[in-house]
Structure formats: C-alpha cells, structure tokens
C-alpha cells in the first residue's frame, strides 16, 4: 500500500501530528481541554493528515479530550494511543468512535532491553500479544497503527517477525520509532529498507517514522526514513515532546517543500499557517520557542550582519532559502498605538495569523487599549503576547482583580492582592522576602495549595524600559507539572498572572485548591 496521490509526480507524505500526545507528555507542557481543542482545530485546518489526540486510558481528562477532538475534527484522522493491553484498546476505541476517520494506535516494546527489563516477556510472548491486541483493535475500527517501541534497538530479524504479525492481524500503518533518539540517518533509512524488503506482506501497510531528538537528529532521521520507504512522519509543533522532544513538524514540512529538488515528496500542510500553529502551541503549553529555532524562531528571518543586510537589500535570495511569508511571517511591522482603532487592530491580528471569535476579539481589543495607554509603541510581539495570554486564560477560574506592592530598600516588602475565585472576590495582604515573594505569598494565602514552584523566569518582550515583562512560572503538584506565561509592563503583575495561570491549569487537571478568604 502506498500513500502516493494519483497523477502527482511527487509522493504524498502523511503528516501525523502528536503534539497533543507525545508533545503534551513532556514535563510542564500540560494543556487544558480548551487549549487542546484549539490546537486540534488549527491542525485540522492547516492540513495535517492524522492528529494523535491523546492517550485515552491515561485519565478521564485524556479520554474526554480525545472524544471531544474526535467529534470536532472534520477532515483529519483522529488517533487515540493504547498500550498492548485489552483495556487500553477498548478505551481508545471508545474515545475515537465519534471521529469521521478514527484510528487506534497501539504499541508494544520489541527491543531486548525493553523485553528483559520493562516487559519481562519472551520474544514469542510479545509476538502473541501483537496478534491478539491488533486483532482486538481491528475489530473496533478499520484504521490501525501498530508501533514497535524502541524499534531502532531491535534486532532486524525479530523486528521483521513482529511487523509481519501486526500486518497479518490487521495493522494498516506500521510505525518504527526511534524511541530513544539513538539512530543515525543512514541506520534509520537502512532499517526501513530492510523491513520493507524482507517482510512478505509489507506492501499492505504504510510505514511511518517517529523520531526523538536526543542527539539532535530527529528531523534528519525522519527525512532519511522517507528514502527508506516511509510515507508517514510523526512530529510535533515546535518539536516538543519527551526529553529532547520529537521531530519538529514545521521543519519537516519546510524541508520537504524547500528541497523539492532532492526530496521528491509533498505534504498537505498549508505552510503559511506554520507560524500561527507554533505560536498557539507555545501559548497553550507555555513553552517558549527558542529565538534561533528553525522556521518559527524569532530570529529565523532576521539578518543582523552588515554583509547579510546588504545582500538582502539587493536580492533576498542571497541569504534566504525560503520567504518569511511562506511560513506565515509578515514582513510589515506597523507599530500600533493608542490612536489605532478596531479596524487597524483587526488588520494587525489577521496579519499575525490570528482568527478570533467576536468575544475573543473584544477582550483582546480592550486589553490592547489598556496596554496602549501605558506604552507608547505597541509592537507585534506585544500584541502576540496579549492575544496568546487572552486565549490561554479564557476559561480561568481564578483571576487577578488588583495588586499593589510596597517595595524598595526599606523592607518588609508587602503585596495586597484581590482575586476573583469563581464568583467570589477575596483579598489578602502578605509580606515577603522581596516583592515577588510577597506576591506569591498573597496568592498562597488566598488559594492554599501544595504546588511547588519549579521555575520562575522573566524576560522582556521587546526592547526599552517600557517593554512588557514576560514571566514564565512552572508549578508541580500530584506528579503533574504545568507551565504558564503572562506579559505585562509591570513585572509583578505579570508574575502574579503567570502564577495564577499555572494554578488555573492545575485546577483544570483536578488538583485540590481552595479559596480561603471571603470577599470584603
Ligand atoms: O517514542 C515512541 O516510541 C512512542 C510510541 C508510543 C510510538 O511515542
Ligand atoms: Zn515518542
């Protein structure tokens, strides 16, 4: 079976996005249900072929997210992950049942080290498990993906036997992951070639690459897999994922598009939406995108050196191998200010790739006006920070009403904070070892919780002393860690907002937090 589109000179490569499963699995990247839905809808609109929406057996929240995404996504296949365990497969089948195109993705470890230490099973036992679980899944839905976890450290003979058994039992996609990010491109290409040549029923399945980035080779390995015959690539927005992450979707898609001369493939992804998708994933997970990140980093199209700038003015192709517009970066940087009206703001949002509902637009416009009153020039980055924060906080139960701080050389520093918790307004004054400590102490007094602060980070959104401060806060509780970001010209307000954002995320994951003090 191949994924080529009839009549097209290039082979079609299916893009399987796992931002909502492998991506969300990385510590601190937890997303709320609403954020997952926003990401899934954008992936669908962007032309991703398969959206792995989650791991339904993992929790009721995951099950609910996969079911809801399955019912909302119109075009893409929606996959739910399941271990090679009967209850997992049944739950995944139930979660994806409402999808227009449902898929169960089931996996089992195949490498000697996993079999000996994790599974404690023999090769023959695992082969039986593959047949039983794939058969069970195939009785629930037609589209079954089977993955050989740690395939790249599995002896080829045994890997071939496993693949043959999975296809015989009904698997339609065979994924051979580099689970630990160990392979090199040559090895990974050769593994796909060998399996496809040696497995007698290999032509009945589409082969898939799934690469982790432990050695920084995830994208290179995924592209090598295409040469070995893979026609599906599993990847995530901004490359987020377990440990060093997964292959980055935007890099895969743009490598295929930009190097069509040597990579004779095409994807169905609308590349002008890549920047928007990267920003949405970053806002939803609160994971910043590194400045020099390929394709979607802030500096990806910035030219600093005089020689480069000179070349760019003469002909952009001297130093640009793809246009910023092709990935959704707009060149115009019209500065906005307090005289900018609704129409200009709407235009700017469109230019930045946002499409907001009427309510979201109204909220964002009001916050933009407040910001413009406090800051002379409002730059694109300011607007992005503002809209991303609006999206991230739309469903928050705890909101900052006001904060005043007494700080300076003569302590103690003091924070007076008013919060709205559901429909109750609560107020508290606390001291601390510095204004940030006092602010966080006030939050702890108002919303007692056991969460531990794992990270507190501040950086400026733009240049200048009136720049907005962007604060990231990571909290962990009950074995979960969540990150939240907030921006404001006042660093302490941004700190409070970021901390509250993280608490709200924990709340939405079922953590036990209580508002302590009644309203004035
Ligand atoms: O990395 C991996 O092996 C996985 C499997 C579940 C596909 O994520
Ligand atoms: Zn993985």
């Amino acid at each position: 079976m191949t994924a080529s589109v009839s009549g097209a000179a290039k082979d079609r490569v299916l893009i399987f996005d796992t931002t909502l499963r492998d991506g969300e699995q990385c510590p601190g990247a937890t997303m709320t249900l609403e954020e997952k839905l926003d990401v899934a809808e954008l992936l669908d609109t962007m032309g991703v072929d398969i959206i792995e929406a989650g791991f339904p057996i993992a929790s009721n929240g995951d099950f609910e997210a996969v079911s809801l995404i399955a019912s909302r996504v119109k075009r893409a296949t929606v996959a739910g992950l399941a271990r090679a365990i009967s209850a997992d497969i049944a739950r995944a089948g139930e979660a994806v049942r409402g999808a227009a195109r449902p898929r169960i993705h089931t996996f089992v470890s195949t490498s000697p080290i996993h079999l000996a230490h994790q599974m404690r099973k023999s090769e023959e036992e695992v082969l039986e498990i593959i047949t039983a679980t794939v058969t069970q899944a195939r009785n629930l839905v037609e589209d079954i993906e089977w993955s050989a976890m740690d395939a790249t450290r599995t002896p080829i003979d045994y890997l071939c036997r496993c693949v043959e058994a999975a296809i015989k039992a009904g698997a339609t996609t065979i994924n051979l992951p580099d689970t630990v990010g160990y392979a090199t491109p040559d090895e990974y290409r050769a593994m796909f070639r060998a399996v496809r040549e040696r497995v007698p029923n290999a032509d009945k399945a589409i082969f898939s690459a799934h690469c982790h980035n432990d050695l920084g080779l995830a994208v290179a390995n995924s592209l090598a897999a295409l040469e070995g015959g893979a026609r599906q690539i599993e990847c995530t927005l901004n490359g987020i994922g377990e440990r060093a992450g997964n292959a980055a979707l935007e890099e895969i898609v743009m490598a295929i598009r930009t190097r069509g001369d040597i990579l004779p493939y095409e994807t169905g992804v609308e590349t002008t939406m890549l920047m928007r998708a990267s920003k949405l994933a970053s806002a939803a997970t609160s994971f910043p995108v590194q400045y020099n990140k390929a394709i979607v980093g802030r500096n990806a199209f910035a030219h600093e050196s005089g020689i480069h700038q000179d070349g760019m003015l003469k002909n952009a192709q001297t130093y640009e191998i793809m246009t910023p517009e092709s990935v959704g970066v707009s060149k115009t940087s019209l500065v906005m200010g307090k005289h900018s009206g609704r129409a200009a703001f709407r235009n700017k949002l469109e230019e930045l790739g946002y499409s907001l509902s009427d309510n979201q637009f109204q909220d964002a416009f009001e916050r933009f006006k407040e910001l413009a009153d406090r800051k002379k020039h409002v730059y694109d980055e300011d607007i992005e920070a503002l809209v991303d924060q609006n999206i991230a906080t739309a469903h928050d139960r705890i909101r900052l009403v006001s904060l005043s701080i007494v700080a300076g050389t003569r302590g103690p520093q003091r924070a007076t904070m008013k919060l709205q918790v559901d429909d109750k307004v609560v107020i508290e004054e606390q001291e601390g070892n510095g204004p940030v400590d006092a602010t966080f102490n006030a939050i702890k007094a108002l919303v007692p919780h056991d969460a531990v602060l794992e990270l507190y980070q501040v950086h400026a959104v733009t240049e200048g002393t009136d720049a907005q401060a962007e604060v990231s806060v990571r909290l962990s509780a009950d074995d979960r860690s969540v990150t939240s970001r907030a921006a404001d010209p006042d660093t302490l307000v941004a700190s409070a907002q970021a901390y509250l954002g993280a608490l709200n995320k924990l709340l939405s994951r079922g953590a036990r937090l209580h508002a302590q003090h009644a309203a004035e």
Side-chain angles (χ1 to χ4, degrees):
M1 196 187 293
T2 71
S4 50
V5 169
S6 59
K10 294 182 167 189
D11 262 13
R12 175 80 145 79
V13 172
L14 301 172
I15 296 295
F16 175 115
D17 179 277
T18 183
T19 306
L20 299 173
R21 200 276 299 169
D22 224 342
E24 213 230 1
Q25 222 162 291
C26 77
T30 318
M31 288 174 246
T32 62
L33 177 63
E34 290 78 17
E35 287 164 346
K36 287 183 183 179
L37 272 175
D38 286 345
V39 171
E41 278 171 4
L42 191 81
L43 289 170
D44 193 29
T45 314
M46 193 163 84
V48 160
D49 300 285
I50 302 109
I51 299 172
E52 186 160 56
F55 193 1
I57 196 89
S59 68
N60 288 339
D62 271 56
F63 177 83
E64 199 191 340
V66 178
S67 316
L68 209 58
I69 290 169
S71 67
R72 296 271 180 92
V73 162
K74 297 188 176 65
R75 204 196 43 79
T77 296
V78 176
L81 186 70
R83 288 167 298 180
I85 296 176
S86 174
D88 276 42
I89 291 171
R91 196 77 172 137
E94 207 184 325
V96 297
R97 199 170 41 199
R101 290 177 193 76
R103 173 180 293 191
I104 295 176
H105 174 193
T106 182
F107 69 96
V108 71
S109 290
T110 52
S111 67
I113 188 161
H114 280 214
L115 260 57
H117 300 285
Q118 202 177 5
M119 307 271 301
R120 302 216 166 98
K121 298 245 182 277
S122 68
E123 287 191 347
E124 297 312 311
E125 283 171 317
V126 169
L127 275 166
E128 279 168 28
I129 291 174
I130 294 169
T131 302
T133 50
V134 173
T135 305
Q136 180 196 351
R138 186 64 200 249
N139 284 332
L140 298 173
V141 298
E142 300 247 302
D143 184 346
I144 304 300
E145 173 167 335
W146 177 78
S147 288
M149 193 180 225
D150 208 14
T152 48
R153 293 191 299 171
T154 302
I156 197 74
D157 289 345
Y158 182 59
L159 185 61
C160 288
R161 288 178 67 203
C162 292
V163 169
E164 186 178 350
I167 298 173
K168 198 165 161 209
T172 44
T173 299
I174 296 292
N175 183 35
L176 303 179
D178 185 24
T179 304
V180 291
Y182 181 70
T184 64
D186 283 346
E187 283 174 326
Y188 203 50
R189 181 191 303 108
M191 179 187 73
F192 277 91
R193 275 200 184 131
V195 173
R196 289 183 62 250
E197 270 164 28
R198 289 166 57 170
V199 170
N201 51 4
D203 61 326
K204 300 202 164 45
I206 290 174
F207 279 76
S208 172
H210 176 115
C211 299
H212 282 269
N213 208 26
D214 299 66
L215 294 174
L217 293 171
V219 170
N221 283 341
S222 305
L223 297 177
L226 296 180
E227 288 173 337
R231 287 295 177 269
Q232 173 179 292
I233 294 184
E234 308 199 353
C235 44
T236 58
L237 294 170
N238 300 332
I240 61 167
E242 283 277 5
R243 307 181 309 279
N246 290 55
L249 180 148
E250 59 280 359
E251 296 177 23
I252 302 272
V253 168
M254 286 313 287
I256 290 176
R257 180 180 150 150
T258 308
R259 295 309 311 273
D261 53 334
I262 53 158
L263 298 169
Y265 316 110
E266 60 185 9
T267 73
V269 172
E270 173 50 59
T271 62
T272 56
M273 293 182 72
L274 288 173
M275 193 55 149
R276 173 72 208 109
S278 158
K279 284 186 183 144
L280 180 64
S282 169
T285 56
S286 296
F287 266 41
V289 176
Q290 78 197 55
Y291 286 179
N292 60 332
K293 165 87 181 57
I295 316 297
V296 291
R298 182 188 286 191
N299 292 352
F301 293 93
H303 302 271
E304 188 69 25
S305 97
I307 297 175
H308 287 214
Q309 286 179 352
D310 175 59
M312 284 295 295
L313 289 172
K314 290 173 177 148
N315 180 339
Q317 284 181 11
T318 49
Y319 290 96
E320 262 176 15
I321 58 167
M322 52 202 156
T323 65
E325 291 80 4
S326 66
V327 301
V329 176
S330 69
K331 273 241 165 105
T332 51
S333 194
L334 179 68
V335 180
M336 308 278 287
K338 66 176 171 187
H339 300 298
S340 312
R342 275 167 193 282
F345 187 62
R346 201 182 286 281
N347 265 349
K348 175 56 79 183
L349 290 181
E350 273 167 23
E351 215 180 271
L352 294 173
Y354 290 101
S355 62
L356 301 187
S357 68
D358 288 348
N359 283 348
Q360 283 175 325
F361 175 80
Q362 187 53 32
D363 287 351
F365 186 64
E366 279 164 23
R367 291 206 55 215
F368 159 70
K369 280 296 194 188
E370 278 167 30
L371 183 64
D373 269 341
R374 295 161 73 190
K375 198 170 178 288
K376 196 165 167 214
H377 299 304
V378 179
Y379 296 97
D380 288 359
E381 290 88 343
D382 289 317
I383 294 176
E384 283 162 5
L386 178 155
V387 177
D388 288 344
Q389 194 172 328
N390 249 38
I391 294 171
T393 59
H395 302 275
D396 282 359
R397 290 177 53 193
I398 311 170
R399 290 174 181 277
L400 180 67
V401 179
S402 66
L403 172 67
S404 50
I405 302 280
V406 179
T409 48
R410 289 181 54 183
Q413 286 78 19
R414 208 170 297 127
T416 309
M417 178 178 285
K418 202 191 270 188
L419 297 183
Q420 167 130 23
V421 185
D422 295 326
D423 48 7
K424 197 157 80 172
V425 175
V426 291
I427 188 161
E428 177 70 55
E429 183 179 289
Q430 285 284 313
E431 290 181 358
N433 186 13
V436 176
D437 193 41
T439 302
F440 290 178
N441 285 343
I443 297 177
K444 278 182 216 149
L446 289 167
V447 189
H449 56 271
D450 298 328
V452 178
L453 179 67
E454 286 185 337
L455 172 120
Y456 171 73
Q457 217 171 50
V458 186
H459 76 264
V461 171
T462 56
E463 281 157 22
T465 49
D466 72 341
Q468 293 199 83
E470 186 167 67
V471 177
S472 301
V473 164
R474 184 184 300 169
L475 295 178
S476 69
D478 303 334
D479 285 341
R480 288 182 200 290
S481 71
V482 294
T483 315
S484 175
R485 260 188 319 181
D488 194 277
D490 185 319
T491 310
L492 296 164
V493 172
S495 303
Q497 300 275 26
Y499 196 108
L500 291 172
L503 271 189
N504 276 301
K505 282 195 170 188
L506 283 176
L507 257 183
S508 75
R509 307 287 295 190
R512 287 177 299 282
L513 314 170
H514 308 281
Q516 185 87 319
H517 297 273
E520 328 135 83

